Amino acid sequence: MVTINCLRGVPKITYTSTPKITISKPVVSLFSKRASPLVAIVAAASFSSMSYDTELAAAKKAASLAARLCQKVQKALLQSDVQSKSDKSPVTVADYGSQALVSFVLERELPSESFSLVAEEDSGDLRKESGQETLQRITKLVNDTIANDGSFSVPTLTAADVLGAIDCGKSDGGSHGRHWVLDPIDGTKGFVRGDQYAIALALLDEGKVVLGVLACPNLPLASIGGDSRHSSDDEVGCLFFAKVGAGTYMQSLDGSSPIKVHVSTTENPEEASFFESFEAAHSSHDLSSSIANKLGVKAPPVRIDSQAKYGALSRGDGAIYLRFPHKGYREKIWDHAAGCIVVTEAGGVATDAAGNPLDFSKGRYLDLDTGIIVTNQKLMPSLLKAVRESLDEATSSL
Ligand SMILES: Nc1ncnc2c1ncn2[C@@H]1O[C@H](COP(=O)(O)O)[C@@H](OP(=O)(O)O)[C@H]1O
Ligand SMILES: [Mg+2]
Ligand SMILES: [Mg+2]
Ligand SMILES: [Mg+2]
């Protein structure tokens, strides 16, 4: 049996191999020219032979447009644009606007697809009385970005449309069917500081990441290896994209020709610089320093926010990414799905601290042992050994 969950008041189509078709809602959507049941059946029949080209093109367009919205907001960020979520983490008008835009673009560009989106933000706070001013600002940002792009002929979106688009991201994901996975701004703390952030979008098919796009508006096109400071003359704005079995490419966000990228091939830890979170609250800097020492890494850590770390690693700026959240933190799939395929298609390996591959099929959270480590194939065995020793030492000193 195949179930296609269409959100936003569009049809929920369920059919079995008989095929028996049930349409549980009327075909009504502001945005979409929705699939007929027949189209849905044809799509399901060719499921296994998909090349994901259309999906990748849609994902690149969605992430690039969202990046434009974010760039505009970051340039003139107001204190009132930044709110605090119930877990005390920050969220801005750009996080919400980016999520609404990506949801909107995917549905417009892939009208015959089922549409399931697992995304970070939800509209709860925007539906409250206190959220109305923020909602108006987000609605204007989304409409302005669509109008400036000029490629969609849609009526102006209402605040309710924007709320609906944001709430499309409530899917639970899982190991069956297709699910888009979105972090509308990864590295919100970096975004608010004026530093690195990324729009991270991936597609899961039967629990596996099959494509990923990372828009990194502040990442220099030139290498940042070994030095996170860069001159203000550096051209910034990178778009990384990867498709399963097809490698990883990078182009400028302005639309230059893509170039194929590859992770560092160094086998020598002394030459290998490593990335970690800028925020010590997100990853233990002490633990990564101990691991780097054991491995013989000489260079100081390169600390930057967001999945820009995966992008930079995929083009060989550094050779290692270490992430060790403090006890009790659960990693979410949108913080790693796009970055993971970008780095693995570029020849890298991403695992948990025990060397297990990252499993994106378990729902909104990653179920993993302790931390996330990323490097090239050659360095992974010695990195795993250093990780094990450092973790043992940390445990025995408690
Ligand atoms: N205590 C914590 N430990 C680990 N990660 C955390 C954390 N609190 C928040 N995060 C996650 O770290 C992400 C940013 O990663 P990085 O440190 O690499 O920039 C955040 O993404 P958002 O900014 O999308 O919320 C958030 O999901
Ligand atoms: Mg994130
Ligand atoms: Mg985010
Ligand atoms: Mg967040």
Side-chain angles (χ1 to χ4, degrees), residues 273-311:
S273 61
F274 77 95
F275 291 105
E276 66 181 344
S277 285
F278 181 92
E279 296 285 339
H282 293 181
S283 183
S284 165
H285 290 175
D286 287 348
L287 191 54
S288 40
S289 152
S290 152
I291 295 165
N293 280 339
K294 281 192 193 306
L295 202 57
V297 171
K298 295 272 182 267
V302 180
R303 292 181 177 148
I304 60 168
D305 303 277
S306 86
Q307 287 170 71
K309 291 187 277 296
Y310 284 101

PDB file of all heavy atoms in Angstrom, residues 273-311:
ATOM      1  N   SER A 273      43.144  20.243   9.642  1.00  0.00           N
ATOM      2  CA  SER A 273      42.478  21.153  10.587  1.00  0.00           C
ATOM      3  C   SER A 273      41.058  20.655  10.814  1.00  0.00           C
ATOM      4  O   SER A 273      40.517  19.914   9.998  1.00  0.00           O
ATOM      5  CB  SER A 273      42.507  22.592  10.095  1.00  0.00           C
ATOM      6  OG  SER A 273      41.845  22.707   8.886  1.00  0.00           O
ATOM      7  N   PHE A 274      40.466  21.047  11.950  1.00  0.00           N
ATOM      8  CA  PHE A 274      39.127  20.530  12.227  1.00  0.00           C
ATOM      9  C   PHE A 274      38.130  21.635  12.551  1.00  0.00           C
ATOM     10  O   PHE A 274      38.494  22.703  13.052  1.00  0.00           O
ATOM     11  CB  PHE A 274      39.162  19.450  13.323  1.00  0.00           C
ATOM     12  CG  PHE A 274      39.303  19.951  14.734  1.00  0.00           C
ATOM     13  CD1 PHE A 274      38.186  20.151  15.543  1.00  0.00           C
ATOM     14  CD2 PHE A 274      40.559  20.188  15.274  1.00  0.00           C
ATOM     15  CE1 PHE A 274      38.317  20.596  16.851  1.00  0.00           C
ATOM     16  CE2 PHE A 274      40.701  20.635  16.586  1.00  0.00           C
ATOM     17  CZ  PHE A 274      39.575  20.836  17.380  1.00  0.00           C
ATOM     18  N   PHE A 275      36.877  21.336  12.216  1.00  0.00           N
ATOM     19  CA  PHE A 275      35.769  22.259  12.452  1.00  0.00           C
ATOM     20  C   PHE A 275      34.996  21.834  13.698  1.00  0.00           C
ATOM     21  O   PHE A 275      34.874  20.647  13.986  1.00  0.00           O
ATOM     22  CB  PHE A 275      34.784  22.238  11.280  1.00  0.00           C
ATOM     23  CG  PHE A 275      35.338  22.843  10.022  1.00  0.00           C
ATOM     24  CD1 PHE A 275      35.727  22.036   8.962  1.00  0.00           C
ATOM     25  CD2 PHE A 275      35.463  24.216   9.879  1.00  0.00           C
ATOM     26  CE1 PHE A 275      36.230  22.592   7.796  1.00  0.00           C
ATOM     27  CE2 PHE A 275      35.964  24.781   8.721  1.00  0.00           C
ATOM     28  CZ  PHE A 275      36.349  23.963   7.681  1.00  0.00           C
ATOM     29  N   GLU A 276      34.434  22.836  14.365  1.00  0.00           N
ATOM     30  CA  GLU A 276      33.468  22.551  15.427  1.00  0.00           C
ATOM     31  C   GLU A 276      32.532  23.750  15.571  1.00  0.00           C
ATOM     32  O   GLU A 276      32.749  24.806  14.959  1.00  0.00           O
ATOM     33  CB  GLU A 276      34.171  22.231  16.744  1.00  0.00           C
ATOM     34  CG  GLU A 276      34.942  23.380  17.348  1.00  0.00           C
ATOM     35  CD  GLU A 276      35.643  22.981  18.649  1.00  0.00           C
ATOM     36  OE1 GLU A 276      35.304  21.945  19.240  1.00  0.00           O
ATOM     37  OE2 GLU A 276      36.551  23.737  19.073  1.00  0.00           O
ATOM     38  N   SER A 277      31.479  23.578  16.377  1.00  0.00           N
ATOM     39  CA  SER A 277      30.513  24.656  16.574  1.00  0.00           C
ATOM     40  C   SER A 277      31.183  25.891  17.162  1.00  0.00           C
ATOM     41  O   SER A 277      32.065  25.770  18.022  1.00  0.00           O
ATOM     42  CB  SER A 277      29.439  24.232  17.577  1.00  0.00           C
ATOM     43  OG  SER A 277      28.542  23.352  17.006  1.00  0.00           O
ATOM     44  N   PHE A 278      30.724  27.030  16.751  1.00  0.00           N
ATOM     45  CA  PHE A 278      31.151  28.270  17.394  1.00  0.00           C
ATOM     46  C   PHE A 278      30.666  28.274  18.844  1.00  0.00           C
ATOM     47  O   PHE A 278      31.375  28.688  19.753  1.00  0.00           O
ATOM     48  CB  PHE A 278      30.552  29.462  16.625  1.00  0.00           C
ATOM     49  CG  PHE A 278      30.948  30.793  17.169  1.00  0.00           C
ATOM     50  CD1 PHE A 278      32.070  31.452  16.672  1.00  0.00           C
ATOM     51  CD2 PHE A 278      30.226  31.386  18.188  1.00  0.00           C
ATOM     52  CE1 PHE A 278      32.452  32.691  17.180  1.00  0.00           C
ATOM     53  CE2 PHE A 278      30.594  32.626  18.708  1.00  0.00           C
ATOM     54  CZ  PHE A 278      31.713  33.276  18.196  1.00  0.00           C
ATOM     55  N   GLU A 279      29.459  27.787  19.047  1.00  0.00           N
ATOM     56  CA  GLU A 279      28.817  27.815  20.365  1.00  0.00           C
ATOM     57  C   GLU A 279      29.287  26.628  21.212  1.00  0.00           C
ATOM     58  O   GLU A 279      28.982  25.472  20.885  1.00  0.00           O
ATOM     59  CB  GLU A 279      27.289  27.710  20.221  1.00  0.00           C
ATOM     60  CG  GLU A 279      26.648  28.882  19.496  1.00  0.00           C
ATOM     61  CD  GLU A 279      26.573  30.147  20.352  1.00  0.00           C
ATOM     62  OE1 GLU A 279      26.632  30.036  21.596  1.00  0.00           O
ATOM     63  OE2 GLU A 279      26.455  31.239  19.766  1.00  0.00           O
ATOM     64  N   ALA A 280      29.983  26.924  22.317  1.00  0.00           N
ATOM     65  CA  ALA A 280      30.442  25.843  23.196  1.00  0.00           C
ATOM     66  C   ALA A 280      29.251  25.100  23.803  1.00  0.00           C
ATOM     67  O   ALA A 280      29.357  23.935  24.181  1.00  0.00           O
ATOM     68  CB  ALA A 280      31.327  26.410  24.291  1.00  0.00           C
ATOM     69  N   ALA A 281      28.100  25.755  23.886  1.00  0.00           N
ATOM     70  CA  ALA A 281      26.910  25.095  24.452  1.00  0.00           C
ATOM     71  C   ALA A 281      26.389  23.995  23.511  1.00  0.00           C
ATOM     72  O   ALA A 281      25.642  23.122  23.937  1.00  0.00           O
ATOM     73  CB  ALA A 281      25.813  26.123  24.695  1.00  0.00           C
ATOM     74  N   HIS A 282      26.765  24.038  22.231  1.00  0.00           N
ATOM     75  CA  HIS A 282      26.268  23.048  21.274  1.00  0.00           C
ATOM     76  C   HIS A 282      27.184  21.842  21.146  1.00  0.00           C
ATOM     77  O   HIS A 282      26.784  20.815  20.606  1.00  0.00           O
ATOM     78  CB  HIS A 282      26.115  23.679  19.877  1.00  0.00           C
ATOM     79  CG  HIS A 282      25.037  24.718  19.818  1.00  0.00           C
ATOM     80  ND1 HIS A 282      24.727  25.385  18.660  1.00  0.00           N
ATOM     81  CD2 HIS A 282      24.203  25.188  20.774  1.00  0.00           C
ATOM     82  CE1 HIS A 282      23.749  26.243  18.906  1.00  0.00           C
ATOM     83  NE2 HIS A 282      23.411  26.143  20.184  1.00  0.00           N
ATOM     84  N   SER A 283      28.441  21.993  21.540  1.00  0.00           N
ATOM     85  CA  SER A 283      29.395  20.904  21.363  1.00  0.00           C
ATOM     86  C   SER A 283      30.563  21.137  22.314  1.00  0.00           C
ATOM     87  O   SER A 283      31.058  22.265  22.409  1.00  0.00           O
ATOM     88  CB  SER A 283      29.886  20.908  19.908  1.00  0.00           C
ATOM     89  OG  SER A 283      30.755  19.833  19.683  1.00  0.00           O
ATOM     90  N   SER A 284      31.002  20.082  22.984  1.00  0.00           N
ATOM     91  CA  SER A 284      32.063  20.240  23.975  1.00  0.00           C
ATOM     92  C   SER A 284      33.402  20.551  23.303  1.00  0.00           C
ATOM     93  O   SER A 284      33.993  19.692  22.640  1.00  0.00           O
ATOM     94  CB  SER A 284      32.179  18.958  24.812  1.00  0.00           C
ATOM     95  OG  SER A 284      33.398  18.991  25.519  1.00  0.00           O
ATOM     96  N   HIS A 285      33.875  21.765  23.494  1.00  0.00           N
ATOM     97  CA  HIS A 285      35.168  22.140  22.932  1.00  0.00           C
ATOM     98  C   HIS A 285      36.307  21.400  23.645  1.00  0.00           C
ATOM     99  O   HIS A 285      37.329  21.090  23.034  1.00  0.00           O
ATOM    100  CB  HIS A 285      35.363  23.657  23.040  1.00  0.00           C
ATOM    101  CG  HIS A 285      34.470  24.449  22.117  1.00  0.00           C
ATOM    102  ND1 HIS A 285      34.403  25.812  22.109  1.00  0.00           N
ATOM    103  CD2 HIS A 285      33.609  24.053  21.136  1.00  0.00           C
ATOM    104  CE1 HIS A 285      33.549  26.246  21.181  1.00  0.00           C
ATOM    105  NE2 HIS A 285      33.043  25.173  20.587  1.00  0.00           N
ATOM    106  N   ASP A 286      36.116  21.088  24.935  1.00  0.00           N
ATOM    107  CA  ASP A 286      37.169  20.361  25.669  1.00  0.00           C
ATOM    108  C   ASP A 286      37.369  18.970  25.083  1.00  0.00           C
ATOM    109  O   ASP A 286      38.494  18.519  24.879  1.00  0.00           O
ATOM    110  CB  ASP A 286      36.787  20.207  27.150  1.00  0.00           C
ATOM    111  CG  ASP A 286      36.910  21.521  27.886  1.00  0.00           C
ATOM    112  OD1 ASP A 286      37.504  22.461  27.306  1.00  0.00           O
ATOM    113  OD2 ASP A 286      36.403  21.616  29.021  1.00  0.00           O
ATOM    114  N   LEU A 287      36.258  18.302  24.816  1.00  0.00           N
ATOM    115  CA  LEU A 287      36.359  16.944  24.289  1.00  0.00           C
ATOM    116  C   LEU A 287      37.001  16.947  22.892  1.00  0.00           C
ATOM    117  O   LEU A 287      37.882  16.131  22.601  1.00  0.00           O
ATOM    118  CB  LEU A 287      34.955  16.302  24.232  1.00  0.00           C
ATOM    119  CG  LEU A 287      34.905  14.815  23.964  1.00  0.00           C
ATOM    120  CD1 LEU A 287      35.763  14.031  24.938  1.00  0.00           C
ATOM    121  CD2 LEU A 287      33.455  14.318  24.036  1.00  0.00           C
ATOM    122  N   SER A 288      36.595  17.873  22.039  1.00  0.00           N
ATOM    123  CA  SER A 288      37.199  17.865  20.701  1.00  0.00           C
ATOM    124  C   SER A 288      38.674  18.237  20.770  1.00  0.00           C
ATOM    125  O   SER A 288      39.479  17.717  19.990  1.00  0.00           O
ATOM    126  CB  SER A 288      36.441  18.745  19.708  1.00  0.00           C
ATOM    127  OG  SER A 288      36.023  19.911  20.289  1.00  0.00           O
ATOM    128  N   SER A 289      39.041  19.083  21.737  1.00  0.00           N
ATOM    129  CA  SER A 289      40.453  19.427  21.871  1.00  0.00           C
ATOM    130  C   SER A 289      41.253  18.188  22.299  1.00  0.00           C
ATOM    131  O   SER A 289      42.349  17.922  21.781  1.00  0.00           O
ATOM    132  CB  SER A 289      40.566  20.574  22.865  1.00  0.00           C
ATOM    133  OG  SER A 289      41.774  20.564  23.507  1.00  0.00           O
ATOM    134  N   SER A 290      40.682  17.390  23.208  1.00  0.00           N
ATOM    135  CA  SER A 290      41.360  16.165  23.635  1.00  0.00           C
ATOM    136  C   SER A 290      41.504  15.186  22.449  1.00  0.00           C
ATOM    137  O   SER A 290      42.566  14.584  22.254  1.00  0.00           O
ATOM    138  CB  SER A 290      40.561  15.530  24.783  1.00  0.00           C
ATOM    139  OG  SER A 290      40.745  14.155  24.824  1.00  0.00           O
ATOM    140  N   ILE A 291      40.446  15.053  21.649  1.00  0.00           N
ATOM    141  CA  ILE A 291      40.499  14.150  20.491  1.00  0.00           C
ATOM    142  C   ILE A 291      41.559  14.628  19.492  1.00  0.00           C
ATOM    143  O   ILE A 291      42.380  13.843  18.998  1.00  0.00           O
ATOM    144  CB  ILE A 291      39.105  14.077  19.808  1.00  0.00           C
ATOM    145  CG1 ILE A 291      38.090  13.434  20.748  1.00  0.00           C
ATOM    146  CG2 ILE A 291      39.180  13.309  18.483  1.00  0.00           C
ATOM    147  CD1 ILE A 291      36.635  13.639  20.344  1.00  0.00           C
ATOM    148  N   ALA A 292      41.558  15.933  19.237  1.00  0.00           N
ATOM    149  CA  ALA A 292      42.513  16.489  18.269  1.00  0.00           C
ATOM    150  C   ALA A 292      43.948  16.272  18.752  1.00  0.00           C
ATOM    151  O   ALA A 292      44.834  15.916  17.963  1.00  0.00           O
ATOM    152  CB  ALA A 292      42.225  17.977  18.059  1.00  0.00           C
ATOM    153  N   ASN A 293      44.171  16.442  20.053  1.00  0.00           N
ATOM    154  CA  ASN A 293      45.523  16.211  20.606  1.00  0.00           C
ATOM    155  C   ASN A 293      45.969  14.779  20.419  1.00  0.00           C
ATOM    156  O   ASN A 293      47.088  14.503  20.003  1.00  0.00           O
ATOM    157  CB  ASN A 293      45.547  16.527  22.112  1.00  0.00           C
ATOM    158  CG  ASN A 293      45.667  18.002  22.337  1.00  0.00           C
ATOM    159  OD1 ASN A 293      46.116  18.724  21.455  1.00  0.00           O
ATOM    160  ND2 ASN A 293      45.233  18.460  23.504  1.00  0.00           N
ATOM    161  N   LYS A 294      45.079  13.856  20.743  1.00  0.00           N
ATOM    162  CA  LYS A 294      45.424  12.425  20.603  1.00  0.00           C
ATOM    163  C   LYS A 294      45.761  12.076  19.163  1.00  0.00           C
ATOM    164  O   LYS A 294      46.624  11.260  18.872  1.00  0.00           O
ATOM    165  CB  LYS A 294      44.246  11.559  21.050  1.00  0.00           C
ATOM    166  CG  LYS A 294      44.155  11.436  22.540  1.00  0.00           C
ATOM    167  CD  LYS A 294      43.178  10.349  22.931  1.00  0.00           C
ATOM    168  CE  LYS A 294      42.863  10.457  24.407  1.00  0.00           C
ATOM    169  NZ  LYS A 294      44.060  10.456  25.265  1.00  0.00           N
ATOM    170  N   LEU A 295      45.031  12.699  18.255  1.00  0.00           N
ATOM    171  CA  LEU A 295      45.211  12.403  16.835  1.00  0.00           C
ATOM    172  C   LEU A 295      46.481  13.047  16.275  1.00  0.00           C
ATOM    173  O   LEU A 295      47.008  12.621  15.250  1.00  0.00           O
ATOM    174  CB  LEU A 295      43.969  12.945  16.100  1.00  0.00           C
ATOM    175  CG  LEU A 295      43.587  12.384  14.753  1.00  0.00           C
ATOM    176  CD1 LEU A 295      43.384  10.878  14.828  1.00  0.00           C
ATOM    177  CD2 LEU A 295      42.277  13.046  14.279  1.00  0.00           C
ATOM    178  N   GLY A 296      46.947  14.075  16.963  1.00  0.00           N
ATOM    179  CA  GLY A 296      48.148  14.777  16.481  1.00  0.00           C
ATOM    180  C   GLY A 296      47.820  15.979  15.605  1.00  0.00           C
ATOM    181  O   GLY A 296      48.690  16.472  14.872  1.00  0.00           O
ATOM    182  N   VAL A 297      46.579  16.455  15.675  1.00  0.00           N
ATOM    183  CA  VAL A 297      46.216  17.650  14.898  1.00  0.00           C
ATOM    184  C   VAL A 297      46.955  18.860  15.468  1.00  0.00           C
ATOM    185  O   VAL A 297      46.982  19.063  16.684  1.00  0.00           O
ATOM    186  CB  VAL A 297      44.675  17.892  14.966  1.00  0.00           C
ATOM    187  CG1 VAL A 297      44.304  19.233  14.357  1.00  0.00           C
ATOM    188  CG2 VAL A 297      43.927  16.759  14.292  1.00  0.00           C
ATOM    189  N   LYS A 298      47.579  19.633  14.601  1.00  0.00           N
ATOM    190  CA  LYS A 298      48.373  20.790  15.075  1.00  0.00           C
ATOM    191  C   LYS A 298      47.578  22.096  15.036  1.00  0.00           C
ATOM    192  O   LYS A 298      47.758  22.966  15.885  1.00  0.00           O
ATOM    193  CB  LYS A 298      49.616  20.963  14.176  1.00  0.00           C
ATOM    194  CG  LYS A 298      50.593  19.794  14.272  1.00  0.00           C
ATOM    195  CD  LYS A 298      51.585  20.033  15.406  1.00  0.00           C
ATOM    196  CE  LYS A 298      52.602  18.928  15.514  1.00  0.00           C
ATOM    197  NZ  LYS A 298      52.236  17.867  16.452  1.00  0.00           N
ATOM    198  N   ALA A 299      46.731  22.220  14.030  1.00  0.00           N
ATOM    199  CA  ALA A 299      46.048  23.504  13.821  1.00  0.00           C
ATOM    200  C   ALA A 299      44.977  23.745  14.882  1.00  0.00           C
ATOM    201  O   ALA A 299      44.386  22.790  15.391  1.00  0.00           O
ATOM    202  CB  ALA A 299      45.409  23.506  12.437  1.00  0.00           C
ATOM    203  N   PRO A 300      44.729  24.998  15.213  1.00  0.00           N
ATOM    204  CA  PRO A 300      43.635  25.291  16.157  1.00  0.00           C
ATOM    205  C   PRO A 300      42.293  25.003  15.490  1.00  0.00           C
ATOM    206  O   PRO A 300      42.208  24.965  14.262  1.00  0.00           O
ATOM    207  CB  PRO A 300      43.796  26.795  16.419  1.00  0.00           C
ATOM    208  CG  PRO A 300      44.518  27.323  15.230  1.00  0.00           C
ATOM    209  CD  PRO A 300      45.377  26.207  14.711  1.00  0.00           C
ATOM    210  N   PRO A 301      41.230  24.795  16.296  1.00  0.00           N
ATOM    211  CA  PRO A 301      39.924  24.499  15.689  1.00  0.00           C
ATOM    212  C   PRO A 301      39.392  25.672  14.874  1.00  0.00           C
ATOM    213  O   PRO A 301      39.661  26.824  15.195  1.00  0.00           O
ATOM    214  CB  PRO A 301      39.018  24.260  16.899  1.00  0.00           C
ATOM    215  CG  PRO A 301      39.719  24.866  18.057  1.00  0.00           C
ATOM    216  CD  PRO A 301      41.185  24.822  17.757  1.00  0.00           C
ATOM    217  N   VAL A 302      38.670  25.353  13.817  1.00  0.00           N
ATOM    218  CA  VAL A 302      37.958  26.393  13.064  1.00  0.00           C
ATOM    219  C   VAL A 302      36.515  26.343  13.556  1.00  0.00           C
ATOM    220  O   VAL A 302      35.829  25.338  13.359  1.00  0.00           O
ATOM    221  CB  VAL A 302      38.017  26.126  11.536  1.00  0.00           C
ATOM    222  CG1 VAL A 302      37.270  27.232  10.782  1.00  0.00           C
ATOM    223  CG2 VAL A 302      39.457  26.021  11.057  1.00  0.00           C
ATOM    224  N   ARG A 303      36.088  27.405  14.239  1.00  0.00           N
ATOM    225  CA  ARG A 303      34.750  27.407  14.862  1.00  0.00           C
ATOM    226  C   ARG A 303      33.794  28.248  14.044  1.00  0.00           C
ATOM    227  O   ARG A 303      33.932  29.484  13.987  1.00  0.00           O
ATOM    228  CB  ARG A 303      34.832  27.962  16.287  1.00  0.00           C
ATOM    229  CG  ARG A 303      35.587  27.007  17.195  1.00  0.00           C
ATOM    230  CD  ARG A 303      35.681  27.501  18.623  1.00  0.00           C
ATOM    231  NE  ARG A 303      36.353  26.476  19.418  1.00  0.00           N
ATOM    232  CZ  ARG A 303      37.123  26.709  20.460  1.00  0.00           C
ATOM    233  NH1 ARG A 303      37.324  27.967  20.864  1.00  0.00           N
ATOM    234  NH2 ARG A 303      37.689  25.719  21.117  1.00  0.00           N
ATOM    235  N   ILE A 304      32.873  27.584  13.410  1.00  0.00           N
ATOM    236  CA  ILE A 304      31.831  28.329  12.681  1.00  0.00           C
ATOM    237  C   ILE A 304      30.474  27.704  12.951  1.00  0.00           C
ATOM    238  O   ILE A 304      30.364  26.531  13.318  1.00  0.00           O
ATOM    239  CB  ILE A 304      32.095  28.425  11.154  1.00  0.00           C
ATOM    240  CG1 ILE A 304      32.155  27.055  10.498  1.00  0.00           C
ATOM    241  CG2 ILE A 304      33.350  29.224  10.855  1.00  0.00           C
ATOM    242  CD1 ILE A 304      32.131  27.117   8.970  1.00  0.00           C
ATOM    243  N   ASP A 305      29.440  28.505  12.759  1.00  0.00           N
ATOM    244  CA  ASP A 305      28.075  28.049  13.006  1.00  0.00           C
ATOM    245  C   ASP A 305      27.542  27.260  11.811  1.00  0.00           C
ATOM    246  O   ASP A 305      27.954  27.483  10.679  1.00  0.00           O
ATOM    247  CB  ASP A 305      27.147  29.264  13.208  1.00  0.00           C
ATOM    248  CG  ASP A 305      27.625  30.165  14.337  1.00  0.00           C
ATOM    249  OD1 ASP A 305      27.319  29.858  15.493  1.00  0.00           O
ATOM    250  OD2 ASP A 305      28.332  31.154  14.048  1.00  0.00           O
ATOM    251  N   SER A 306      26.609  26.390  12.129  1.00  0.00           N
ATOM    252  CA  SER A 306      25.724  25.789  11.113  1.00  0.00           C
ATOM    253  C   SER A 306      26.350  24.684  10.272  1.00  0.00           C
ATOM    254  O   SER A 306      27.529  24.365  10.408  1.00  0.00           O
ATOM    255  CB  SER A 306      25.155  26.877  10.186  1.00  0.00           C
ATOM    256  OG  SER A 306      26.053  27.156   9.122  1.00  0.00           O
ATOM    257  N   GLN A 307      25.531  24.168   9.341  1.00  0.00           N
ATOM    258  CA  GLN A 307      26.000  23.131   8.420  1.00  0.00           C
ATOM    259  C   GLN A 307      26.940  23.689   7.356  1.00  0.00           C
ATOM    260  O   GLN A 307      27.385  22.949   6.479  1.00  0.00           O
ATOM    261  CB  GLN A 307      24.808  22.422   7.774  1.00  0.00           C
ATOM    262  CG  GLN A 307      24.092  21.502   8.759  1.00  0.00           C
ATOM    263  CD  GLN A 307      22.779  20.973   8.230  1.00  0.00           C
ATOM    264  OE1 GLN A 307      22.756  20.144   7.320  1.00  0.00           O
ATOM    265  NE2 GLN A 307      21.671  21.441   8.782  1.00  0.00           N
ATOM    266  N   ALA A 308      27.249  24.972   7.411  1.00  0.00           N
ATOM    267  CA  ALA A 308      28.336  25.503   6.567  1.00  0.00           C
ATOM    268  C   ALA A 308      29.603  24.682   6.828  1.00  0.00           C
ATOM    269  O   ALA A 308      30.449  24.553   5.944  1.00  0.00           O
ATOM    270  CB  ALA A 308      28.573  26.976   6.865  1.00  0.00           C
ATOM    271  N   LYS A 309      29.701  24.095   8.029  1.00  0.00           N
ATOM    272  CA  LYS A 309      30.858  23.236   8.340  1.00  0.00           C
ATOM    273  C   LYS A 309      30.918  22.046   7.380  1.00  0.00           C
ATOM    274  O   LYS A 309      31.977  21.672   6.905  1.00  0.00           O
ATOM    275  CB  LYS A 309      30.775  22.723   9.793  1.00  0.00           C
ATOM    276  CG  LYS A 309      30.984  23.816  10.835  1.00  0.00           C
ATOM    277  CD  LYS A 309      31.057  23.265  12.248  1.00  0.00           C
ATOM    278  CE  LYS A 309      29.740  23.023  12.910  1.00  0.00           C
ATOM    279  NZ  LYS A 309      28.912  24.200  13.162  1.00  0.00           N
ATOM    280  N   TYR A 310      29.757  21.423   7.128  1.00  0.00           N
ATOM    281  CA  TYR A 310      29.730  20.286   6.194  1.00  0.00           C
ATOM    282  C   TYR A 310      30.109  20.758   4.782  1.00  0.00           C
ATOM    283  O   TYR A 310      30.809  20.067   4.058  1.00  0.00           O
ATOM    284  CB  TYR A 310      28.335  19.666   6.130  1.00  0.00           C
ATOM    285  CG  TYR A 310      27.916  18.799   7.296  1.00  0.00           C
ATOM    286  CD1 TYR A 310      27.073  19.280   8.282  1.00  0.00           C
ATOM    287  CD2 TYR A 310      28.323  17.462   7.363  1.00  0.00           C
ATOM    288  CE1 TYR A 310      26.629  18.472   9.322  1.00  0.00           C
ATOM    289  CE2 TYR A 310      27.888  16.646   8.405  1.00  0.00           C
ATOM    290  CZ  TYR A 310      27.046  17.151   9.377  1.00  0.00           C
ATOM    291  OH  TYR A 310      26.607  16.343  10.393  1.00  0.00           O
ATOM    292  N   GLY A 311      29.597  21.934   4.400  1.00  0.00           N
ATOM    293  CA  GLY A 311      29.909  22.466   3.070  1.00  0.00           C
ATOM    294  C   GLY A 311      31.396  22.702   2.921  1.00  0.00           C
ATOM    295  O   GLY A 311      32.031  22.257   1.955  1.00  0.00           O
TER     296      GLY A 311
END
